[in-house]
């Protein structure tokens, strides 16, 4: 992928929402879409699958791809589990056919040049897998429709925010984590400082070119070696003039 293709994929403001297969082809041909994420919901509702080159997907996988059956037989850490008829160490980990649902082609605004496509999974005989979450949901919706009912769902995301980073949390076994706030923040307007999003202008951070130049000159005067390294670090800090650094918490 050349620089022009990357540039076009990052500048596609008119692409949004759902696309038809023809619109996807046009976007791939123009370079606006370079990657296709083919996704299968796992047992935890997470999307698992493959990242594919968009042109390769159109040429070879628009009707079918493959994925290991273990994606529907793991725990939350993606560890293969025993006791599944679908796959396991006793009978092996075979492949499933992944059938793209062409009415779910969607542009992802937070990933430039990327389209997401949901997929169904079938067995070797081409039969939809009954334990696949997407198929189970469709089955239940069909039963409700037969009763004259239509389901409409709204999602509410809730999460807990802790200090530190994912590596430290994993090393601690996700125990004794320090929360950013010690009480429920639903509808709270006076958020803790750690949760306040500040722009460089709001936080007093401004590009101080004179400070950067003067420090750079001082660095040259000191010469190479440790003194130069120290000056370089000092230049980085003073160049932005950040007087009130904000520690950003990590979601784990």
């Amino acid at each position: 992928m050349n620089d022009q293709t990357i540039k076009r994929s990052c500048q596609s403001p008119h692409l949004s929402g759902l696309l038809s297969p023809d619109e996807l082809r046009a976007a791939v041909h123009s370079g606006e879409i370079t990657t296709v994420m083919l996704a299968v919901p796992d047992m935890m509702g997470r999307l698992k699958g493959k990242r594919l080159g968009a042109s390769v997907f159109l040429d070879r996988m628009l009707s079918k791809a493959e994925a290991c059956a273990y994606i529907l037989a793991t725990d939350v850490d993606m560890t293969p589990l025993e006791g599944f008829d679908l796959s396991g160490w006793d009978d092996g980990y075979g492949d499933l056919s992944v059938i793209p649902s062409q009415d779910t082609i969607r542009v992802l605004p937070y990933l430039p040049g990327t389209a997401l496509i949901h997929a169904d999974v079938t067995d070797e005989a081409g039969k939809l897998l009954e334990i696949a979450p997407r198929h189970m949901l469709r089955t239940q919706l069909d039963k409700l429709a037969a009763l004259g009912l239509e389901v409409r769902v709204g999602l509410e995301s809730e999460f807990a925010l802790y200090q530190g980073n994912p590596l430290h949390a994993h090393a601690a076994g996700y125990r004794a984590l320090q929360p950013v706030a010690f009480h429920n923040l639903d509808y709270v307007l006076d958020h803790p400082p750690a949760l306040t999003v500040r722009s460089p202008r709001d936080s007093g951070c401004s590009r101080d070119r004179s400070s950067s130049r003067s420090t750079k000159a001082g660095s040259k005067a000191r010469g190479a070696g440790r003194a130069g390294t120290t000056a370089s670090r000092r230049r980085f800090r003073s160049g932005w003039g950040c007087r009130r650094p904000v520690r950003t918490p990590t979601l784990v």
Side-chain angles (χ1 to χ4, degrees):
M1 185 168 56
N2 56 40
D3 293 340
Q4 290 299 322
T5 301
I6 296 175
K7 183 177 180 180
R8 286 196 302 268
S9 69
C10 295
Q11 296 176 346
S12 53
H14 67 280
L15 283 179
S16 62
L18 293 172
L19 301 179
S20 68
D22 289 339
E23 289 173 328
L24 175 63
R25 285 187 180 278
V28 173
H29 180 72
S30 67
E32 293 173 295
I33 296 295
T34 58
T35 302
V36 168
M37 295 200 307
L38 189 59
V40 175
D42 70 1
M43 293 305 186
M44 270 63 70
R46 304 170 302 181
L47 297 182
K48 300 297 179 181
K50 296 182 176 181
R51 288 177 177 265
L52 306 165
S55 59
V56 174
F57 171 79
L58 290 177
D59 292 341
R60 307 179 187 178
M61 304 176 186
L62 184 59
S63 59
K64 185 177 74 171
E66 292 181 344
C68 183
Y70 95 107
I71 63 173
L72 297 180
T74 66
D75 62 10
V76 69
D77 293 321
M78 289 298 291
T79 303
L81 300 177
E82 299 179 358
F84 286 91
D85 293 334
L86 178 64
S87 64
W89 294 115
D90 295 333
D91 298 324
Y93 291 91
D95 286 337
L96 297 172
S97 294
V98 179
I99 313 300
S101 180
Q102 297 187 21
D103 59 349
T104 66
I105 304 172
R106 181 181 297 276
V107 176
L108 298 180
Y110 56 91
L111 289 177
T114 303
L116 171 68
I117 304 178
H118 289 267
D120 292 304
V121 290
T122 66
D123 57 20
E124 295 178 351
K127 182 180 179 181
L128 288 172
L129 211 61
E130 293 184 359
I131 65 169
R134 194 164 188 263
H135 180 62
M136 287 192 288
L137 175 60
R138 184 184 297 110
T139 300
Q140 299 304 313
L141 293 177
D142 290 343
K143 290 180 178 180
L144 290 171
L147 299 175
L149 300 176
E150 179 184 5
V151 177
R152 297 186 180 184
V153 178
L155 299 179
E156 180 181 1
S157 299
E158 295 185 1
F159 56 88
L161 207 58
Y162 296 95
Q163 300 283 0
N165 61 58
L167 291 178
H168 294 158
H170 180 74
Y174 302 98
R175 303 291 182 181
L177 301 179
Q178 183 73 22
V180 171
F182 293 96
H183 55 84
N184 193 339
L185 295 182
D186 283 354
Y187 295 97
V188 173
L189 298 179
D190 53 338
H191 288 171
L195 292 180
T196 301
V197 179
R198 299 176 181 173
S199 66
R201 179 180 300 176
D202 296 334
S203 60
C205 299
S206 59
R207 185 63 172 171
D208 189 347
R209 297 184 181 274
S210 60
S211 175
S212 178
R213 287 195 297 268
S214 62
T215 310
K216 185 176 181 180
S219 174
K220 289 182 178 179
R222 295 183 182 90
R226 183 175 180 181
T229 302
T230 303
S232 177
R233 292 173 180 171
R234 187 178 299 122
R235 180 171 71 251
F236 176 78
R237 289 195 298 268
S238 63
W240 286 97
C242 293
R243 296 185 296 275
R244 298 193 301 275
V246 178
R247 177 177 295 177
T248 303
T250 303
L251 177 63
V252 296

